[in-house]
Amino acid sequence: MNNSLFINGEFLDTELKQSVVNPATGEEIAKVCVAGIQEAQSALSAARLAFDEGPWPYLSLAQRRDFILKIAQGILDKAGELAKLETLNTGKPIKESTFMDIPSSAETFKYFANNLESLLMSETREISSDIAKAKAVLLREPQGVVVLIVPWNYPLLIACWKLAQALAAGNTVILKPSSLTPLTALELAAIISDAGLPKGVVNIINGPGDKIGKVLCEDKRVDMVSFTGSNQVGKKILAYSSVNVKKTIMELGGKSAAIILKDADLESCVNGSLSSIFLNQGQMCTAMSRLFVEDDIYEKFVSDFVAKARRIKLGDGQDYQTQMGPLISESQRESVLAYIEQAKKEGAKVLCGGEIPRDKCLGKGFFLGPVVIAEVTPRMSIFKEEVFGPVVCIGKFSNPDEAIGLANAVDFALAGCIWSKDTVLAQDLARRINAGAVWINTYGMFFNELPYGGFKQSGFGKELGREGFLEYTRLKNIILDQSQGSQPLVSYWHGF
């Protein structure tokens, strides 16, 4: 296990260390180095020098592809170790780490490496007007130095989403993982070192966001910041970045809704809805934390949903029988419990869960079982605010227009689900949902080929797909005057 920072191609130990805890047991699993201001400045200098004077932005696409594919292979070679680390550090079930997070991380690098030519295709346009004729070549260039700040719920996967795109576009990078979950990002540094990338192209530093994040985002040597996390932190990063204006991507919170029509396949939509809120302990910005069910099937849906929610097996994520692990920290569990208590005070009814488990085997961890809440109104905090835990609100509707109104009645606009056998109607409703991604009769299908990102308070910019990749580039026009015998337009301005 690598516990060191990675700056300018070298592993750096610091005197200051932090304890990393397994949320399933509350016990320390590692001590890792913590960056201070000096280390952050070193990473900034290394990334800037590597972009301005190093070979990385000017390598052929074939050379860049080979480096990126080496990273992908390195992840696969260490897949078992990385999955174990991710589960130990986040508490998520080992099945999710093994079969979702780690292979998806490697696949993202593979996709962007193998599609560089089509993603970076330059465009030539013939421009003509009454004044002059010209030829313009549109070039896609890297942004420059990019700071990547990733959250604790999918530490490796989201880091790889951002890193694969940034590197494929030719940028140099400073990656800052969450202080709660730095282990797989630090291990990724070892993989990148083994891949032989030029010094300074990738720098990975662990440290407190309120100190290190501020330094990184304010610095004029940085050309772009890509952030995934909470709205509260996102607003701070926007303020930091405005000190020296730079490109930003913000993938922030969500309060996503699923609309379940009466003709939906009941078993499929119950099982899919369980996954959409209780996967990863509900710690997902795309979690369907509000389920709206048509009147005709509401009672049956709720009965089946609650019965299955109660059977979800809590436990240590290292156990392959575990379906839900702990929340990331004690403070996160307290925050979720506070939302539940507030919902009760406001008149909501808890149908399932809502208390800390009494099982002695779970006593040392930060566990909280599935929570199902009914009789929630749009005025309640739990209807409007992101809880980021295994808590779902179930409501009913009489017609599709009412359902759309409920789904859109929040400040977030990240994702949504529709469950119906009438796919024509479902697609029509999907267009009316104010969200960046809407799944029909499924949940959580992400593709490297498709862009992902939200609207409103859920942020701006895209990750993945050609659109997401292009966020990590800048567009330049090179214009060649093609007038024959006529005076170039620029000459008219001589003498002013």
Side-chain angles (χ1 to χ4, degrees):
M1 183 191 303
N2 175 46
N3 296 340
S4 305
L5 310 181
F6 186 61
I7 300 174
N8 201 30
E10 298 180 353
F11 292 97
L12 176 67
D13 289 330
T14 59
E15 290 186 8
L16 184 60
K17 304 287 195 302
Q18 75 165 79
S19 176
V20 179
V21 171
N22 178 356
T25 63
E27 298 173 351
E28 180 183 287
I29 51 177
K31 281 190 179 297
V32 299
C33 293
V34 177
I37 302 298
Q38 181 178 344
E39 289 77 24
Q41 293 291 344
S42 296
L44 286 163
S45 296
R48 188 73 259 172
L49 187 66
F51 186 80
D52 292 341
E53 300 183 21
W56 183 254
Y58 307 104
L59 293 179
S60 70
L61 296 188
Q63 290 173 306
R64 203 184 300 166
R65 177 192 303 112
D66 288 345
F67 278 117
I68 296 171
L69 288 175
K70 285 180 182 178
I71 298 174
Q73 189 58 50
I75 292 172
L76 294 176
D77 290 344
K78 290 188 173 182
E81 179 183 346
L82 289 169
K84 182 179 179 180
L85 275 179
E86 199 77 321
T87 288
L88 280 172
N89 200 172
T90 65
K92 67 175 61 186
I94 189 67
K95 289 187 290 187
E96 293 178 23
S97 299
T98 300
F99 300 113
M100 295 171 61
D101 294 23
I102 307 307
S104 296
S105 298
E107 192 58 38
T108 301
F109 279 101
K110 285 184 179 181
Y111 173 77
F112 287 103
N114 289 326
N115 289 277
L116 274 175
E117 285 85 355
S118 61
L119 292 168
L120 281 171
M121 186 183 301
S122 63
E123 182 180 350
T124 301
R125 294 182 188 173
E126 295 292 335
I127 306 297
S128 63
S129 71
D130 294 337
I131 299 174
K133 292 184 179 180
K135 181 174 75 172
V137 178
L138 307 185
L139 296 181
R140 284 288 176 179
E141 299 180 333
Q143 289 279 355
V145 175
V146 180
V147 169
L148 310 175
I149 302 177
V150 300
W152 46 258
N153 58 336
Y154 286 94
L156 184 64
L157 180 57
I158 294 178
C160 290
W161 278 11
K162 295 179 184 293
L163 191 58
Q165 295 173 102
L167 292 178
N171 299 285
T172 58
V173 169
I174 302 169
L175 171 65
K176 197 199 89 63
S178 166
S179 296
L180 289 173
T181 55
L183 296 186
T184 48
L186 295 177
E187 195 60 34
L188 184 61
I191 292 170
I192 290 168
S193 178
D194 291 342
L197 274 70
K199 287 187 176 183
V201 173
V202 177
N203 306 272
I204 301 178
I205 60 174
N206 169 57
D210 57 351
K211 180 184 292 185
I212 302 305
K214 184 175 187 292
V215 170
L216 296 177
C217 295
E218 286 184 347
D219 200 282
K220 66 181 180 181
R221 288 168 289 185
V222 173
D223 299 291
M224 174 179 172
V225 175
S226 178
F227 171 77
T228 298
S230 71
N231 288 68
Q232 293 84 354
V233 176
K235 290 174 183 177
K236 290 181 181 179
I237 288 175
L238 285 173
Y240 300 154
S241 300
S242 70
V243 173
N244 286 289
V245 177
K246 49 184 63 73
K247 168 74 178 287
T248 54
I249 294 176
M250 294 281 126
E251 200 278 274
L252 306 175
K255 193 67 181 178
S256 301
I259 295 174
I260 300 161
L261 299 171
K262 62 185 177 183
D263 70 335
D265 181 273
L266 189 62
E267 183 177 9
S268 295
C269 67
V270 167
N271 291 337
S273 297
L274 287 163
S275 176
S276 75
I277 180 59
F278 300 132
L279 183 71
N280 205 40
Q281 296 71 248
Q283 298 171 135
M284 306 178 292
C285 47
T286 59
M288 296 296 128
S289 55
R290 297 178 301 143
L291 306 179
F292 300 114
V293 187
E294 197 160 6
D295 286 337
D296 297 31
I297 62 168
Y298 176 81
E299 296 297 337
K300 176 62 175 170
F301 179 92
V302 170
S303 175
D304 291 356
F305 186 91
V306 169
K308 289 189 174 183
R310 285 177 172 151
R311 294 201 295 269
I312 290 175
K313 180 175 173 54
L314 292 182
D316 192 317
Q318 297 175 86
D319 183 349
Y320 270 86
Q321 301 303 311
T322 291
Q323 295 173 299
M324 261 184 64
L327 300 187
I328 191 63
S329 66
E330 178 60 34
S331 63
Q332 183 63 20
R333 183 169 68 174
E334 289 175 358
S335 173
V336 174
L337 288 169
Y339 269 109
I340 297 168
E341 289 306 310
Q342 181 65 26
K344 290 178 183 178
K345 291 178 183 178
E346 294 176 353
K349 182 179 180 181
V350 177
L351 304 181
C352 172
E355 298 178 348
I356 296 174
R358 297 179 181 179
D359 190 328
K360 292 182 180 179
C361 296
L362 308 177
K364 294 182 179 180
F366 313 129
F367 290 93
L368 183 67
V371 183
V372 183
I373 302 179
E375 299 179 21
V376 175
T377 69
R379 290 178 293 181
M380 294 181 182
S381 299
I382 205 161
F383 183 97
K384 300 179 289 186
E385 299 177 19
E386 184 176 45
V387 176
F388 220 66
V391 181
V392 63
C393 304
I394 303 184
K396 63 177 72 173
F397 65 89
S398 301
N399 60 73
D401 288 340
E402 182 185 0
I404 293 294
L406 290 167
N408 290 340
V410 294
D411 290 334
F412 298 98
L414 185 57
C417 279
I418 298 173
W419 297 88
S420 173
K421 293 177 182 176
D422 186 343
T423 56
V424 174
L425 174 60
Q427 290 178 76
D428 177 64
L429 295 177
R431 293 183 181 94
R432 297 171 61 193
I433 290 179
N434 194 354
V438 181
W439 292 286
I440 297 176
N441 294 329
T442 188
Y443 166 76
M445 296 180 72
F446 293 94
F447 297 94
N448 288 314
E449 296 85 352
L450 291 178
Y452 163 72
F455 314 135
K456 296 169 69 175
Q457 295 301 303
S458 291
F460 50 84
K462 300 294 182 184
E463 300 280 7
L464 304 180
R466 186 167 191 267
E467 295 78 6
F469 172 80
L470 293 180
E471 297 274 14
Y472 291 85
T473 70
R474 63 186 188 183
L475 184 63
K476 176 185 285 185
N477 292 352
I478 299 177
I479 303 169
L480 173 65
D481 178 46
Q482 289 188 311
S483 57
Q484 298 178 0
S486 62
Q487 192 176 25
L489 183 63
V490 69
S491 299
Y492 291 115
W493 298 97
H494 289 172
F496 280 80

